[in-house]
Amino acid sequence: MPSSTGPSIDTITEGGRVTQVGEGQEAEETSPPVVTFGAPTAGEVLAERYELVEHINNDSAGRLVWRGVDVVLRRPVAVVLRYPGGDSATEMLQAAVAASRVIHPNLVGVYDAIDEDDRAYVVREWVDGQSLRELVAADGPLDPARATAIGSAVASALAAVHATDMVHGNVHPGTVMISDDARVVLADARTDGADSQENDLRAVGGVLYFALTGHWPHGEAPLHGATAGHGRAALPDAVRDAGGAIAAPRQVRAGVPAYLDDLTMDLLDPEIAPPSSDVLSAELNRLDIPADEHFLEQAGPLRFTADPEDEPSPLAAAGGRKVALGIAGLLAVALVGLLIGISALGDDKDPNKEPVAQPTSSAPASGGTSAPAAPVRKLNIQDVRIIDPESRDRAEVRNAEKVIDGDPNEGWETASYRNNGKFGGLKKGMGIWIDLGAPHTVKSIKATLSSTGASAELRAGKKDDFQSNSTGDKNLVAAYTERIGQPFEEHDGTTMVFDGFNPEEKYQYLLFWITELPEKEGGGGWKLGVQELTVEGS
């Protein structure tokens, strides 16, 4: 008997009892097939080994799904049966045999595939749990960390399948299963000549999008193997604009990190070649951080806010920042007094030195008392995005988060352009959009660059309701017309510092706009990397 690991069973819950539907398709309340010869019965033992215990349902492809028991190994199994067998069961059996070539912890096990002419059946692992479709339907969209973990598991399973030059062909929320012990497995591979490994990878983007938003991005005319049919018809379609383009996850739901939003949209963009499955698996595995780190600010690529239900600190309850500023003011006064005292003692020893005027306790001539200035500090950048209004290459807008990760050795960089430093004449510029989270008085902005010779300027705006695509980027650049600080034209250093801001103005949204690239060392094109952005203010 051939045995394998691969395709599996989708799960649904009926009356609190976990049941499973073959091939990830919707169960249908239909009558059994008209042909009754070969029909199974409860208590029957197939192949002298697999006892049929309970008929669960029929899937939409006409297969009967039974819960059974392997009487030799005494373990539960799922039996997916079709009758008659022979030619009508060829596709089902071929899929099982193909899946038997791959063994992976994120693929559901296939134990046997048997054709008895009057009926054929596949014996597979029984999974206690639920599909991603059911999980999101019950609990709503997942947090980014859990969505990343699920995407990582699916990509890992596909990497194993693709390593054998095979295609899964059936990746969607109904075939992604989460067991009761938190194992994520991919189920129900299909054999269809129209499927491709690229379609598998596009479908991972769909799975991430669904996990983050609760919507399926492929609509009525999606990729083959990831259609709204075959059990996906009930999935709500993605939010779309007037032109039919889908909204990015972070436009649908707050709190989606920029890097995960970009990766998901890249996988769904037919104009961007997806990475190989092993590369995608490695990237998602890198981003799959432990759950206990989710709420550590600036601890990694995922930046989340603290739980709003947490009890506020005593400092916050007492006025927070005002109390801190008051303490800082008192310390500053004490320090000034100490320095003045030391200076006075030193002057007493030098008879030739002019006396130093000492401050008095009288009020200033204006008669008012000025409030202490807020101390300058490093401001926390809440969000960054790469703005590229004249390009369709989404590969160039990745890694925005690296400019605020505190590591000057890693950053974002443009593509390499030929002909000249004006982006090869292809665009007027590119930029990095900065969200400070709230309006702040800005003292300076420092950009650490990879090389000398770049030109840039700083712009400010108040609009943040733009779309993360070329049209939205054009609208944002058009709205950000206020140039602040001094422009750096033909700048010869690797550090740009913008200062001279109006102290009466407050800014939340800024745009670091690159107007000219430096030539690469040794020639061969023009390119720039932005290693780190730092904003100081109050």
Side-chain angles (χ1 to χ4, degrees):
M1 291 180 237
S3 62
S4 66
T5 303
S8 171
I9 307 98
D10 188 19
T11 58
I12 62 173
T13 304
E14 296 180 348
R17 175 172 54 83
V18 175
T19 60
Q20 308 197 9
V21 180
E23 297 300 323
Q25 303 181 21
E26 292 283 0
E28 295 181 351
E29 297 299 326
T30 58
S31 301
V34 174
V35 178
T36 57
F37 182 72
T41 57
E44 183 178 0
V45 179
L46 305 178
E48 301 181 348
R49 179 168 182 171
Y50 305 110
E51 180 181 357
L52 299 178
V53 176
E54 179 184 13
H55 176 220
I56 303 303
N57 47 39
N58 301 345
D59 70 17
S60 58
R63 288 168 293 230
L64 285 68
V65 182
W66 282 73
R67 179 171 62 87
V69 174
D70 181 337
V71 297
V72 175
L73 299 179
R74 305 307 303 172
R75 63 180 176 184
V77 295
V79 180
V80 181
L81 184 145
R82 175 188 290 277
Y83 63 93
D87 292 342
S88 65
T90 298
E91 191 276 336
M92 180 182 76
L93 296 173
Q94 286 179 343
V97 172
S100 68
R101 303 172 190 168
V102 187
I103 298 176
H104 192 275
N106 296 120
L107 289 169
V108 174
V110 176
Y111 305 140
D112 268 324
I114 300 171
D115 186 4
E116 298 178 346
D117 290 331
D118 58 332
R119 59 187 175 185
Y121 47 91
V122 174
V123 182
R124 301 186 286 195
E125 177 184 1
W126 178 271
V127 179
D128 284 322
Q130 57 186 334
S131 68
L132 176 61
R133 176 182 59 206
E134 295 154 349
L135 179 63
V136 171
D139 300 335
L142 309 183
D143 65 78
R146 194 174 188 191
T148 301
I150 289 174
S152 176
V154 173
S156 180
L158 288 177
V161 172
H162 293 176
T164 64
D165 294 326
M166 292 195 304
V167 174
H168 186 279
N170 197 27
V171 180
H172 62 84
T175 58
V176 176
M177 300 180 60
I178 300 92
S179 69
D180 291 342
D181 60 359
R183 175 184 169 215
V184 178
V185 289
L186 182 58
D188 303 327
R190 302 174 64 183
T191 56
D192 189 324
D195 290 317
S196 68
Q197 292 187 359
E198 178 177 335
N199 287 348
D200 281 349
L201 293 164
R202 302 287 187 201
V204 176
V207 167
L208 285 170
Y209 192 97
F210 180 81
L212 292 167
T213 68
H215 295 270
W216 184 240
H218 294 300
E220 294 301 322
L223 301 166
H224 186 82
T227 62
H230 299 295
R232 295 100 148 164
L235 299 179
D237 188 22
V239 177
R240 299 176 184 272
D241 61 20
I246 64 172
R250 57 197 325 213
Q251 293 175 269
V252 178
R253 173 190 174 198
V256 177
Y259 80 91
L260 187 57
D261 185 272
D262 290 342
L263 176 60
T264 301
M265 294 303 289
D266 284 352
L267 290 171
L268 295 174
D269 191 337
E271 296 185 5
I272 297 178
S276 62
S277 52
D278 56 342
V279 171
L280 177 60
S281 174
E283 176 65 8
L284 285 167
N285 185 62
R286 182 183 71 83
L287 300 174
D288 182 13
I289 63 175
D292 57 359
E293 296 181 15
H294 294 169
F295 298 97
L296 296 180
E297 259 192 280
Q298 305 294 343
L302 292 179
R303 285 178 286 275
F304 297 90
T305 57
D307 190 337
E309 296 181 0
D310 287 348
E311 182 179 352
S313 68
L315 180 63
R321 187 163 170 268
K322 293 180 180 179
V323 174
L325 292 180
I327 295 173
L330 292 174
L331 291 175
V333 170
L335 180 59
V336 170
L338 177 61
L339 292 175
I340 291 173
I342 293 173
S343 176
L345 290 174
D347 291 341
D348 289 342
K349 297 178 181 179
D350 188 354
N352 298 320
K353 189 162 185 158
E354 292 293 329
V356 178
Q358 303 297 324
T360 68
S361 59
S362 60
S366 62
T369 302
S370 59
V376 175
R377 60 186 174 86
K378 180 180 177 181
L379 299 179
N380 183 35
I381 298 176
Q382 295 292 327
D383 194 11
V384 288
R385 300 186 197 179
I386 305 304
I387 303 301
D388 189 8
E390 297 171 89
S391 176
R392 307 180 77 175
D393 181 9
R394 289 189 60 85
E396 200 174 6
V397 301
R398 296 173 179 162
N399 301 319
E401 71 279 356
K402 290 185 178 180
V403 305
I404 57 172
D405 63 0
D407 183 358
N409 297 315
E410 273 197 323
W412 164 80
E413 61 182 10
T414 70
S416 181
Y417 291 84
R418 297 182 178 180
N419 301 325
N420 58 63
K422 298 285 189 180
F423 295 88
L426 300 175
K427 60 182 75 173
K428 295 180 180 179
M430 289 184 68
I432 302 176
W433 177 80
I434 303 168
D435 179 6
L436 298 176
H440 289 276
T441 299
V442 177
K443 178 68 175 178
S444 68
I445 296 179
K446 181 173 74 172
T448 303
L449 309 178
S450 61
S451 58
T452 62
S455 296
E457 61 189 40
L458 194 67
R459 301 182 183 182
K462 302 183 183 301
K463 182 179 180 181
D464 67 332
D465 55 342
F466 62 94
Q467 296 179 350
S468 182
N469 54 40
S470 59
T471 300
D473 286 0
K474 288 179 181 177
N475 294 337
L476 180 133
V477 173
Y480 280 54
T481 57
E482 180 187 358
R483 293 202 338 181
I484 58 176
Q486 79 286 9
F488 278 83
E489 297 175 353
E490 299 180 1
H491 181 63
D492 291 330
T494 57
T495 301
M496 291 185 179
V497 179
F498 296 88
D499 52 19
F501 300 102
N502 184 350
E504 303 300 322
E505 289 287 339
K506 291 192 175 183
Y507 304 97
Q508 177 174 349
Y509 305 112
L510 303 168
L511 179 61
F512 175 70
W513 185 246
I514 303 166
T515 55
E516 187 165 1
L517 305 174
E519 188 171 9
K520 294 194 296 185
E521 185 176 352
W526 284 260
K527 185 176 186 177
L528 178 67
V530 180
Q531 307 302 106
E532 202 72 20
L533 286 174
T534 305
V535 182
E536 290 190 340
S538 57

